[in-house]
Amino acid sequence: MTDNTARLDHVVLWVRDPLASAGFYEKAVGLEPLGVTEFAAGTTSFPSVRLNDETIFDLAPLTMAGKMNMLPGAAESAGHPVNHVCVSLPGPDFEALRTRLEEHGVPMSDISYDAYGARGTARRSFYFRDPDGNVFEARHYD
């Protein structure tokens, strides 16, 4: 990729069980798992899941918190709540995600309409939590 405009590269999510979380994101959310075999074998620190060609979610175990020393106080970020992460999807993928979450018994909010976001006014959106309590919003603009 040669386009150097600003983009979201990755989000690190603190999780209790990275393998279970990878399974949730693969099966209930429909994201591609990365590095699961390597994490299970102990050759990498955490697995990830791919949101799109440019963005991944790293599934960092809470046990890594003490190693997060890139800034003073960074280790205390383990478990610190971010309000939510919003994922924008095409309309059919939005519907497919909601169906998968229902099939997996994941509680969801009602659908809301005409919420403002990074790309203008989204037609519909809803919220759900992962097994570690991280809140996600799914929306579509088309």
Side-chain angles (χ1 to χ4, degrees), residues 14 62 76-83 134:
W14 290 115
L62 288 168
E76 287 79 36
S77 73
H80 185 277
V82 169
N83 184 269
N134 295 301

Side-chain angles (χ1 to χ4, degrees), residues 13-127:
L13 301 172
W14 290 115
V15 300
R16 290 181 298 274
D17 182 340
L19 295 176
S21 292
F24 170 81
Y25 284 104
E26 177 182 16
K27 294 174 181 72
V29 182
L31 303 182
E32 174 191 358
L34 304 169
V36 171
T37 303
E38 294 85 349
F39 176 75
T43 60
T44 190
S45 300
F46 52 83
S48 303
V49 291
R50 181 163 296 287
L51 176 64
N52 59 38
D53 289 343
E54 300 177 347
T55 309
I56 61 175
F57 294 146
D58 293 332
L59 307 174
L62 288 168
T63 56
M64 276 186 62
K67 299 175 186 173
M68 302 305 279
N69 57 6
M70 71 290 278
L71 292 171
E76 287 79 36
S77 73
H80 185 277
V82 169
N83 184 269
H84 70 277
V85 175
C86 182
V87 177
S88 172
L89 304 165
D93 293 346
F94 175 91
E95 294 293 341
L97 171 60
R98 192 153 175 97
T99 299
R100 272 193 314 277
L101 292 171
E102 286 173 350
E103 290 170 352
H104 285 85
V106 177
M108 294 174 277
S109 71
D110 292 335
I111 291 178
S112 61
Y113 299 89
D114 300 325
Y116 183 77
R119 296 172 47 201
T121 302
R123 292 188 57 208
R124 298 181 299 160
S125 64
F126 69 91
Y127 295 84

